[in-house]
Amino acid sequence: MIIPTKRFAAYIAVTASVVTIAVLLDPQALLTAVTMLAIEISMAIHLQLSIGVLEKIGVEVSIDSSTDREPVIVKIKLVNRSIYPVFLAEYSFSYESILRLEKGCRAGLISIPSKSSTELQFVFGARVGTHRVGPLTIVLRDFLGLFKTQPIEIWKGSSFKVTPSIEVAILRKLYLYTRSSGLVKSRIPGEGIEFYDVRDYRPGDELRRIVWRVYASRQKLAVWEAEKESYQAIVYIVNSSKDMWTGMPKTTPVEHSARIIASIARYATSRGYLQTAVTVNECGSKVFGEPAFGRQGLTRVLDALANLSICPESETQVNWDETLLKILPILPRERTFILIFTKTTPNTEQLINISTKLSSLGHRIYVVAPLIVTYDVSKKLPQKLVEIYRAKQLEIASEELKGIEILKKVGVKVIAVNPQLVAQRIIQEIEISL
Amino acid sequence: MSMPLRKDLRVKQKGFISTTTILLLIAIGLLALVEKGPTVPGVPIGASPINPLSLGTSKFVELASRNYTTFIVYRLRDLENIGGEICLYITVSPEIPYTVEESKTIFSILRNKCSKLRFLIADESTYSNPLLQTLNSSIRIEGSRIYRISTKITTAIVSRFLQNISSPYPLAEITVRDTHRVVLDKASAIHGGTATGYTYTSSRDEVLCVIDLEGEISRCSQLFVVAAKESIDRAELFVIGDGSILLNQVLLSNRSEYLSLAEDLLAYLCEENPRCVVVFDAMHYTTLSIRNVFSNPYPILGKLLQDPLTLIYIVLSIIALLLHPSTWLPPLIQWLSNVFTNITIGLASVLTIAISTWIMYRVLAGGTKVYPDQRLAEQIEEEVGVFAELRKSILRTKVKLSKQDFIAICQTLDVMLTLYSGYSLWSDNALNILSDLLGDREKAYRELKWIYRLYRKAFGESRLPLIVLWGRATKRLVSIVDEVGKRIGEKLGVNIV
């Protein structure tokens, strides 16, 4: 639909004065008046034609996203197959407010020549999780700006997923730490493939495990004994509520947690642990299947992390009771290591509830609480407000610390250490628990 | 029983032609009517074929239309639509003289359109002579007046003696197919052609004299030719030196000889052929124009009021003319033009142009609602979470630190110490813990004492110190907390605030 602008009113006022002059004073001005009216009509016709073209325009979209290390590239190709070009199209590209556009313009002017195409490219700094881009809206104007169209949505938008990258440094540190500390050894003889010891033969031992070299030297039957293989089921519960997205892009608590989880999951895969993940936010909880071994388990965890998203309904809070109901069916009977990556406030009571209930079922619960104060980077505030901001920040930190204190008091294990040490601390807890 | 339809159930009538189109068509129609003009420019009161009064010839037209196709021509171009096997052109006592040019045009058109051409000219004046001349006819109308006069009067002024005669009008015998005896009115002698009608006297004491315009007797005779006919080329003419014998008052009178003459004339000239086309000339008659009526109404009305029928006819005709756009539209436009001319001079012109421009603007814009041409809203990249909200709140509103903030930060310090050591800020061991963290027992004691005093003051447990600037005190406490947090971080490798 075409709507006239205020410039149209001014133009018509001038035209009206010329028409009046032509009628009352100088008939020669009539030609000018007619020309001005003809221009106005031609502008309206041009805009109608352009709308017709825009309604039939082809939109080809490609979104290139993988991990949070590579940028996300969104390409939108607008194909004009008609013989009429589109001039002076003002576009505006919408996306989630937490995304950061690194290259490209979120709004501007484009032209789409006839029988041709125009491509818009937007490069975003990748952030872990699922994010929405679009719609792409266009407003058309005529050459004189007398008319414009209502915003026309030519592309409704789409979502893309970004998987957290596995930090090699963390992974290496984990391997180094576990090997040097001997945490990976179960030190119990049993079923397994790793050599543990040689012992005397007992009736019932498999013949293939007899060490014939010992028999040859000592004339005594001895069997090869393996170290008992240890395995652990791990469930990661990640809170991606709004406050978990606070801070600088890519270094927010939720993104940092995602990278830590990815690294731990990679490590746990190599250890043959069962694992899966659950995401929660204000909109609800999502379980990504039962804990699984190896690659499958890793895929489930990475898939969950790639599905982390910000909930648009900001007024609600995370419903931990719902989360409990959803994860109970997937938990194995064996003791499961459950890591809850969340801030401890404002629903500390619910956290205590879920932790207590899961603990009573024999599972080991750890609340990994990223202190969000430590993730907040001082923004450009006026100097006189910096101290006030810091004071208020400490008040919020107080609540978080109180939450941790309360959790600890009721016996919930809380990991609230320096972000660099979180992964190591978790692995330590897992391996020791075996 | 029909019930009125509810408003929402009524079928909406939708106009397929817009009001503008209708107005435009009306304007075009008015202009066309102005261009064409009325049938006659005024009210005909003479021997015009459209005059139904006693002096008109509408009865003769009616008589002709009984047997033949009849046309009345108001302008020369009307002749273009006429054509037939026999065309009979009739003019009766024209009041406007024929010109040679229009006579040629009439003859030329009719000759092209008709196989046979006939002319009936009943005229006592010389106005028809140019037509006769154009037709190469030898017949001419003298334009004189023939009266019956007593033989005793020969040279005297006629008017003094006419009263002595019972009727001055001459008797005539006109032969068409039959011979008709009629009384003429103001008959004129004619000459040329083959004579077919003569005036005669009823007794030996009378004589027929031709009297000129001054009333002088120019010549007298027992016999004058008042009708003649002639054949020229493809045309045949019948000329009568008196048109009054074909007027309504005569044809509608009790005397049938006039009607018989008229019928005989039509039958003779049309050869009783039904495909004969009779054309009556209505071009050469004066009319009573509206302007004359309104500019000087009394003499005219005075004459007309004598006859009620005439009065009704005139009034109705004038109303019809008044309603015709050609009567009122040109003066209206002229008046408007004058108004425009007057209002486009001086100060009035400024006001006029301004008002006209405003009206024109309203017409062109047509009440269209206009909108500001703002650009599309751009996507805003923003932080989310509790600190983003806090930052917005601080920037938006004037936030001041109060004793509540002081209490809250005291509690932060308390939690920090509890998490670090298990001892509260209010415990006896607090000094030792703080000393350990700050590395200066005296400083720790000083700070702790200050915190306790202000905390009590904030809670209303103490009045001292009397004056506290809570904003400044809170900021100082923040710096203590930051330092403690930093020390805890260094000791445990944990950043907690």
Side-chain angles (χ1 to χ4, degrees):
Chain A
M1 180 193 167
I2 292 178
I3 52 173
T5 63
K6 285 190 172 175
R7 203 174 290 111
F8 168 79
Y11 183 85
I12 285 296
V14 173
T15 309
S17 66
V18 175
V19 171
T20 309
I21 289 166
V23 171
L24 298 180
L25 301 175
D26 184 6
Q28 286 185 343
L30 195 63
L31 183 64
T32 312
V34 171
T35 309
M36 291 180 83
L37 285 170
I39 287 170
E40 179 216 323
I41 292 164
S42 60
M43 290 297 118
I45 292 169
H46 159 69
L47 210 53
Q48 283 289 4
L49 287 171
S50 301
I51 290 171
V53 172
L54 206 61
E55 281 171 353
K56 290 179 181 172
I57 209 143
V59 182
E60 297 167 8
V61 181
S62 74
I63 301 177
D64 184 12
S65 66
S66 55
T67 66
D68 60 349
R69 283 201 184 135
E70 293 87 27
V72 177
I73 301 167
V74 180
K75 289 178 183 172
I76 303 173
K77 193 175 180 183
L78 306 172
V79 185
N80 180 5
R81 294 185 182 89
S82 73
I83 55 166
Y84 198 77
V86 175
F87 294 113
L88 293 173
E90 183 196 0
Y91 76 88
S92 179
F93 185 58
S94 304
Y95 49 88
E96 267 183 22
S97 62
I98 60 164
L99 290 175
R100 296 291 177 268
L101 188 66
E102 292 177 348
K103 280 183 188 172
C105 291
R106 62 185 82 116
L109 287 175
I110 53 166
S111 293
I112 313 167
S114 59
K115 301 279 182 188
S116 185
S117 64
T118 299
E119 188 175 271
L120 294 167
Q121 183 169 308
F122 306 95
V123 180
F124 294 96
R127 299 189 73 172
V128 171
T130 301
H131 303 285
R132 185 163 180 81
V133 286
L136 180 68
T137 311
I138 281 185
V139 164
L140 293 172
R141 287 179 177 76
D142 61 279
F143 302 112
L144 299 179
L146 303 179
F147 305 99
K148 64 183 237 182
T149 62
Q150 298 274 24
I152 302 165
E153 202 176 272
I154 60 165
W155 181 55
K156 289 189 181 303
S158 181
S159 297
F160 64 84
K161 291 178 181 177
V162 175
T163 313
S165 55
I166 295 165
E167 292 196 11
V168 180
I170 295 176
L171 200 60
R172 197 171 292 156
K173 202 183 282 182
L174 286 177
Y175 281 127
L176 192 66
Y177 172 70
T178 51
R179 277 176 193 155
S180 62
S181 60
L183 282 172
V184 293
K185 302 286 184 185
S186 68
R187 297 169 192 281
I188 302 165
E191 291 296 316
I193 52 168
E194 288 286 324
F195 173 76
Y196 179 70
D197 202 359
V198 174
R199 63 164 171 81
D200 289 346
Y201 173 80
R202 289 178 207 152
D205 284 341
E206 289 176 55
L207 287 177
R208 64 186 177 94
R209 291 172 64 186
I210 293 171
V211 185
W212 295 108
R213 203 168 42 185
V214 174
Y215 178 75
S217 60
R218 296 190 210 166
Q219 298 299 307
K220 197 176 176 183
L221 280 172
V223 291
W224 178 85
E225 200 172 35
E227 185 179 344
K228 186 184 177 186
E229 279 291 331
S230 60
Y231 85 95
Q232 178 66 60
I234 308 170
V235 175
Y236 309 93
I237 301 173
V238 194
N239 177 6
S240 65
S241 62
K242 216 164 212 176
D243 285 344
M244 290 289 281
W245 291 92
T246 198
M248 288 282 283
K250 293 192 176 187
T251 58
T252 56
V254 70
E255 288 169 286
H256 187 242
S257 300
R259 275 195 297 278
I260 289 169
I261 293 167
S263 301
I264 294 171
R266 179 70 186 81
Y267 169 81
T269 304
S270 68
R271 293 280 289 139
Y273 294 163
L274 290 159
Q275 53 186 350
T276 190
V278 177
T279 60
V280 294
N281 63 15
E282 295 91 335
C283 292
S285 312
K286 192 174 180 190
V287 178
F288 288 80
E290 294 177 359
F293 283 108
R295 283 276 159 198
Q296 197 181 359
L298 180 64
T299 307
R300 284 182 185 178
V301 173
L302 292 180
D303 193 24
L305 297 175
N307 272 283
L308 290 170
S309 61
I310 195 160
C311 179
E313 295 164 30
S314 57
E315 299 304 317
T316 55
Q317 291 185 351
V318 174
N319 186 350
W320 288 104
D321 293 335
E322 183 209 352
T323 311
L324 177 64
L325 289 173
K326 281 193 173 176
I327 62 167
L328 279 174
I330 63 149
L331 291 176
R333 288 190 178 188
E334 293 84 9
R335 183 186 61 184
T336 307
F337 209 87
I338 299 170
L339 297 164
I340 306 173
F341 289 79
T342 181
K343 63 195 281 282
T344 55
T345 52
N347 32 19
T348 317
E349 288 302 318
Q350 282 191 318
L351 264 178
I352 292 169
N353 183 40
I354 187 173
S355 302
T356 311
K357 284 181 178 168
L358 289 170
S359 297
S360 67
L361 293 170
H363 303 295
R364 298 197 66 176
I365 316 299
Y366 281 85
V367 174
V368 185
L371 294 164
I372 62 168
V373 180
T374 60
Y375 287 88
D376 186 55
V377 178
S378 182
K379 293 283 176 186
K380 287 175 185 173
L381 280 170
Q383 190 56 40
K384 62 179 182 180
L385 296 177
V386 168
E387 288 171 324
I388 296 171
Y389 179 69
R390 181 61 182 155
K392 296 285 180 187
Q393 206 180 31
L394 284 176
E395 288 173 30
I396 294 166
S398 166
E399 287 171 19
E400 275 198 275
L401 291 170
K402 274 181 194 169
I404 292 168
E405 194 188 358
I406 293 165
L407 285 169
K408 278 190 167 181
K409 270 184 186 172
V410 296
V412 178
K413 291 189 174 67
V414 181
I415 299 174
V417 294
N418 195 316
Q420 284 78 30
L421 299 171
V422 171
Q424 193 175 317
R425 180 74 190 281
I426 291 167
I427 290 300
Q428 186 186 2
E429 294 293 333
I430 293 169
E431 298 295 3
I432 287 172
S433 73
L434 287 170
Chain B
M1 183 182 164
S2 66
M3 287 181 70
L5 277 173
R6 265 169 50 203
K7 198 174 180 181
D8 54 337
L9 290 176
R10 283 178 198 156
V11 178
K12 280 189 178 177
Q13 287 191 343
K14 189 177 177 182
F16 290 99
I17 302 170
S18 67
T19 312
T20 314
T21 312
I22 291 168
L23 290 174
L24 196 67
L25 288 171
I26 289 171
I28 292 169
L30 286 174
L31 286 174
L33 284 170
V34 171
E35 170 63 21
K36 194 179 177 187
T39 310
V40 283
V43 184
I45 49 174
S48 168
I50 56 170
N51 182 7
L53 299 178
S54 57
L55 296 178
T57 52
S58 61
K59 179 68 185 172
F60 190 36
V61 176
E62 187 195 326
L63 202 65
S65 65
R66 286 179 191 168
N67 299 319
Y68 312 105
T69 307
T70 307
F71 286 99
I72 297 172
V73 291
Y74 303 98
R75 47 191 75 79
L76 285 174
R77 63 169 178 268
D78 292 347
L79 291 168
E80 298 286 351
N81 304 321
I82 294 163
E85 199 173 311
I86 302 170
C87 293
L88 170 60
Y89 185 87
I90 299 172
T91 179
V92 179
S93 300
E95 293 163 355
I96 299 168
Y98 280 86
T99 64
V100 174
E101 283 304 314
E102 65 186 4
S103 301
K104 282 180 180 173
T105 308
I106 291 166
F107 183 58
S108 167
I109 293 170
L110 291 177
R111 193 172 56 186
N112 290 333
K113 299 272 182 180
C114 309
S115 305
K116 290 180 183 176
L117 199 52
R118 306 276 191 271
F119 286 88
L120 172 62
I121 298 166
D123 186 15
E124 60 280 350
S125 69
T126 56
Y127 294 165
S128 306
N129 284 342
L131 180 61
L132 294 167
Q133 188 186 338
T134 305
L135 295 171
N136 283 328
S137 169
S138 61
I139 303 171
R140 293 292 183 271
I141 301 166
E142 285 185 9
S144 56
R145 294 287 175 267
I146 302 168
Y147 288 111
R148 286 160 57 197
I149 295 174
S150 171
T151 49
K152 295 168 183 172
I153 303 164
T154 52
T155 55
I157 300 300
V158 176
S159 56
R160 283 161 51 192
F161 301 99
L162 284 177
Q163 57 192 2
N164 297 329
I165 303 168
S166 59
S167 170
Y169 302 113
L171 301 169
E173 194 176 87
I174 299 168
T175 303
V176 186
R177 290 189 305 182
D178 302 322
T179 300
H180 304 274
R181 289 172 178 271
V182 290
V183 178
L184 299 180
D185 188 16
K186 293 172 182 174
S188 167
I190 58 174
H191 55 81
T194 308
T196 54
Y198 309 92
T199 53
Y200 61 91
T201 55
S202 56
S203 68
R204 291 176 179 235
D205 297 335
E206 291 172 5
V207 66
L208 293 167
C209 293
V210 174
I211 298 169
D212 60 21
L213 293 173
E214 282 79 33
E216 298 285 337
I217 295 170
S218 60
R219 68 180 192 278
C220 293
S221 173
Q222 287 297 322
L223 188 138
F224 284 103
V225 176
V226 287
K229 64 179 180 182
E230 191 175 24
S231 292
I232 309 132
D233 196 8
R234 277 163 38 205
E236 194 170 315
L237 292 97
F238 200 101
V239 181
I240 300 171
D242 186 8
S244 60
I245 54 170
L246 298 172
L247 296 182
N248 291 340
Q249 64 181 5
V250 178
L251 295 178
L252 292 169
S253 67
N254 295 331
R255 300 179 68 172
S256 61
E257 59 264 33
Y258 296 100
L259 201 60
S260 172
L261 172 64
E263 285 171 346
D264 199 22
L265 279 169
L266 289 170
Y268 167 70
L269 290 167
C270 279
E271 298 175 4
E272 290 186 306
N273 187 340
R275 286 195 290 276
C276 175
V277 176
V278 183
V279 181
F280 284 90
D281 174 24
M283 297 180 283
H284 295 87
Y285 299 94
T286 56
T287 54
L288 187 63
S289 75
I290 292 171
R291 187 171 292 179
N292 291 339
V293 172
F294 284 100
S295 61
N296 194 12
Y298 302 110
I300 297 164
L301 286 174
K303 285 179 191 173
L304 296 173
L305 277 171
Q306 294 170 1
D307 179 8
L309 196 66
T310 308
L311 178 68
I312 293 166
Y313 165 72
I314 298 289
V315 169
L316 290 176
S317 300
I318 287 174
I319 289 170
L321 284 169
L322 279 173
L323 290 175
H324 198 278
S326 64
T327 308
W328 52 266
L329 192 59
L332 179 68
I333 290 169
Q334 183 62 45
W335 178 80
L336 288 172
S337 175
N338 293 338
V339 170
F340 274 123
T341 309
N342 292 331
I343 62 176
T344 52
I345 298 167
L347 180 65
S349 69
V350 177
L351 283 171
T352 308
I353 289 168
I355 293 165
S356 303
T357 304
W358 182 78
I359 293 166
M360 191 59 70
Y361 172 79
R362 301 290 296 178
V363 170
L364 292 175
T368 311
K369 194 178 177 186
V370 294
Y371 299 85
D373 189 9
Q374 290 171 337
R375 64 177 186 167
L376 274 172
E378 267 189 41
Q379 176 64 51
I380 298 167
E381 295 175 352
E382 59 180 0
E383 268 189 51
V384 292
V386 62
F387 292 119
E389 296 299 321
L390 174 63
R391 202 171 289 118
K392 279 183 199 168
S393 166
I394 287 175
L395 286 168
R396 198 167 49 234
T397 56
K398 282 187 175 178
V399 179
K400 283 184 179 176
L401 294 173
S402 63
K403 60 183 175 186
Q404 301 304 327
D405 296 305
F406 186 86
I407 293 166
I409 295 166
C410 279
Q411 286 167 354
T412 308
L413 185 59
D414 176 41
V415 179
M416 282 166 67
L417 290 179
T418 310
L419 282 171
Y420 171 67
S421 63
Y423 293 106
S424 166
L425 179 65
W426 320 113
S427 70
D428 295 337
N429 275 331
L431 180 61
N432 293 333
I433 308 297
L434 210 57
S435 302
D436 182 40
L437 286 168
L438 297 175
D440 184 347
R441 190 170 181 82
E442 199 175 323
K443 185 186 173 187
Y445 174 74
R446 199 171 55 245
E447 299 292 15
L448 202 58
K449 192 181 169 187
W450 177 78
I451 292 167
Y452 285 169
R453 281 181 70 200
L454 263 66
Y455 192 79
R456 279 200 298 276
K457 167 84 177 173
F459 264 100
E461 291 172 1
S462 167
R463 292 188 177 181
L464 293 174
L466 288 172
I467 299 168
V468 180
L469 298 172
W470 287 109
R472 195 172 289 177
T474 309
K475 286 171 189 173
R476 185 181 163 188
L477 184 60
V478 167
S479 65
I480 294 167
V481 172
D482 277 343
E483 195 176 347
V484 171
K486 193 179 168 188
R487 295 282 183 269
I488 292 172
E490 284 168 3
K491 283 182 182 283
L492 298 181
V494 178
N495 290 334
I496 56 171
V497 289

